């Protein structure tokens, strides 16, 4: 009987010891440590985006005065007009070049869409992104972001390209011609119409021993929008100079080039103005004063 009582007491002692152990604080290295490690392994908060900016092959290199502007923007419909999350302005420099934009992560809205916008301005030329660069969304890269910039045509280049395209269409236009003998010059021209409208006039003026000019004028609604004049010593000689002028719809001078050989300099306003007056004079002469 004594032995039975002792055995029951031993069992009770073991049960109490087990309860005491289960209520005691967890020690380092036990399950609490695993829980803490799991929390530490959570995704870190993103506070910057970074990557590299390059120029597409064939793009003209920017000058030393080019300016590069980067913005990290919320492009969600509900965020229209909101300021950028981060911005930077710097000289264009050389390419490729790294970039980094740092921002306040508390201002990021989890369900919004964010993109990096990059624009470089170099005088009249802009370099823009043909491919968008989304960031901060699930599946998007926030570092190693590759941005490519492509040069847009300048307003002057657009006018010159349109002028060259117009000149290539002359074969399909209705053409008329005329001549006029003046005191100091012999003048001839071809006038090209399409859909009843004057599109183009090519004027040849022989000044004898004072030289020769060949000038192409392009028109819209009876007004010149581009002119290219070659100055020569004689009809068959190579041009000693080429002047190019082009005007925007508001009449402002956009294309202004004076070329001698391979050297191209700005055409002065007086020379451009003279070309515009010549364009109106030959239009009036070739149309009998109707200008159409």
């Amino acid at each position: 009987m004594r032995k039975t009582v002792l055995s029951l007491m031993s069992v009770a002692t073991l049960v109490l010891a087990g309860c005491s152990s289960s209520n005691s604080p967890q020690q380092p290295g036990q399950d609490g440590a695993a829980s803490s490690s799991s929390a530490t392994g959570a995704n870190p908060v993103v506070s910057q985006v970074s990557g590299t900016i390059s120029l597409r092959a064939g793009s003209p290199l920017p000058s030393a005065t080019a300016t590069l502007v980067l913005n990290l923007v919320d492009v969600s419909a509900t965020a229209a007009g909101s300021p950028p999350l981060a911005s930077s302005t710097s000289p264009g420099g050389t390419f490729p070049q790294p970039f980094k934009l740092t921002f306040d992560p508390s201002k990021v809205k989890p369900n919004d869409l964010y993109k990096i916008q990059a624009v470089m301005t170099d005088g009249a030329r802009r370099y823009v992104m043909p491919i968008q660069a989304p960031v901060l969304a699930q599946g998007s890269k926030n570092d190693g972001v590759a941005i490519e910039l492509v040069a847009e045509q300048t307003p002057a280049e657009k006018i010159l390209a349109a002028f060259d395209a117009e000149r290539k269409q002359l074969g399909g236009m209705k053409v008329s011609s005329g001549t006029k003998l003046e005191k100091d010059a012999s003048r001839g021209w071809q006038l090209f119409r399409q859909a009843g409208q004057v599109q183009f006039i090519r004027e040849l003026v022989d000044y004898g021993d004072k030289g020769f000019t060949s000038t192409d004028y392009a028109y819209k609604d009876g007004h010149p929008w581009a002119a290219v004049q070659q100055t020569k010593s004689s009809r068959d000689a190579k041009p000693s100079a080429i002047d190019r002028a082009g005007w925007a719809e508001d009449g402002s001078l956009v294309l202004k080039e004076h070329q001698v050989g391979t050297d191209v300099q700005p055409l002065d306003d007086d020379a451009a103005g003279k070309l515009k007056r010549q364009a109106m004079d030959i239009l009036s002469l070739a149309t009998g004063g109707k200008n159409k």
Side-chain angles (χ1 to χ4, degrees):
M1 185 65 174
R2 182 180 176 85
K3 291 181 178 180
T4 301
V5 172
L6 288 174
S7 298
L8 290 173
M9 290 178 64
S10 299
V11 171
T13 301
L14 291 173
V15 170
L16 290 172
C19 290
S20 175
S21 175
S22 65
N23 291 330
S24 62
Q26 292 177 328
Q27 300 298 318
Q30 294 181 332
D31 291 342
S35 177
S36 174
S37 174
S38 176
T40 303
N43 291 331
V45 176
V46 176
S47 61
Q48 70 177 28
V49 292
S50 60
T52 303
I53 302 173
S54 61
L55 293 183
R56 177 171 290 183
S59 292
L61 296 177
S63 70
T65 60
T67 301
L68 176 64
V69 177
L70 294 175
N71 287 313
L72 174 57
V73 296
D74 187 339
V75 295
S76 305
T78 55
S82 60
L85 197 63
S87 298
S88 73
T89 301
S90 61
T94 58
F95 294 88
Q97 63 173 270
F99 76 89
K100 182 184 295 184
L101 291 172
T102 302
F103 56 90
D104 181 355
S106 68
K107 295 182 179 180
V108 176
K109 300 176 182 178
N111 296 323
D112 281 10
L113 300 175
Y114 294 89
K115 294 179 181 178
I116 299 173
Q117 294 178 343
V119 177
M120 184 167 62
T121 304
D122 187 16
R125 190 183 304 283
R126 281 170 25 106
Y127 296 74
V128 298
M129 297 170 56
I131 301 175
Q132 297 181 340
V135 291
L136 303 184
Q138 185 175 3
S140 297
K141 295 178 65 176
N142 298 321
D143 56 1
V145 179
I147 292 177
E148 184 181 57
L149 295 178
V150 176
E152 291 184 327
Q153 284 185 318
T154 65
E157 288 171 341
K158 290 179 181 178
I159 287 180
L160 194 55
F163 178 82
D164 288 339
E166 184 86 359
R167 188 158 48 183
K168 291 177 181 178
Q169 302 301 317
L170 296 183
M173 298 183 189
K174 184 179 179 179
V175 59
S176 60
S177 60
T179 60
K180 183 181 179 181
L181 184 60
E182 301 171 350
K183 179 181 178 181
D184 299 319
S186 175
R187 189 180 306 272
W189 63 85
Q190 287 181 309
L191 182 147
F192 299 84
R193 283 188 175 93
Q194 191 171 49
Q197 296 291 319
V198 176
Q199 302 292 319
F200 211 89
I201 294 178
R202 176 164 291 157
E203 180 186 39
L204 305 177
V205 184
D206 191 341
Y207 296 97
D209 58 2
K210 294 183 179 179
F212 185 93
T213 60
S214 172
T215 314
D216 287 344
Y217 305 98
Y219 299 84
K220 289 181 182 177
D221 300 322
H223 299 283
W225 61 271
V228 176
Q229 183 171 83
Q230 299 181 49
T231 300
K232 309 176 181 182
S233 59
S234 64
R235 177 188 289 267
D236 298 325
K238 293 182 178 181
S240 57
I242 302 175
D243 290 340
R244 302 179 184 91
W247 300 269
E249 291 184 1
D250 62 1
S252 60
L253 181 63
V254 175
L255 171 63
K256 42 185 177 181
E257 294 181 354
H258 175 70
Q259 180 176 349
V260 177
T262 59
D263 181 44
V264 179
Q265 299 292 333
L267 179 68
D268 65 66
D269 291 349
D270 289 342
K274 182 180 179 181
L275 273 177
K276 196 170 190 178
R277 289 191 298 272
Q278 289 176 359
M280 293 306 300
D281 289 344
I282 190 61
L283 177 62
S284 178
L285 178 61
T287 61
K290 297 178 181 179
N291 290 0
K292 61 180 181 178

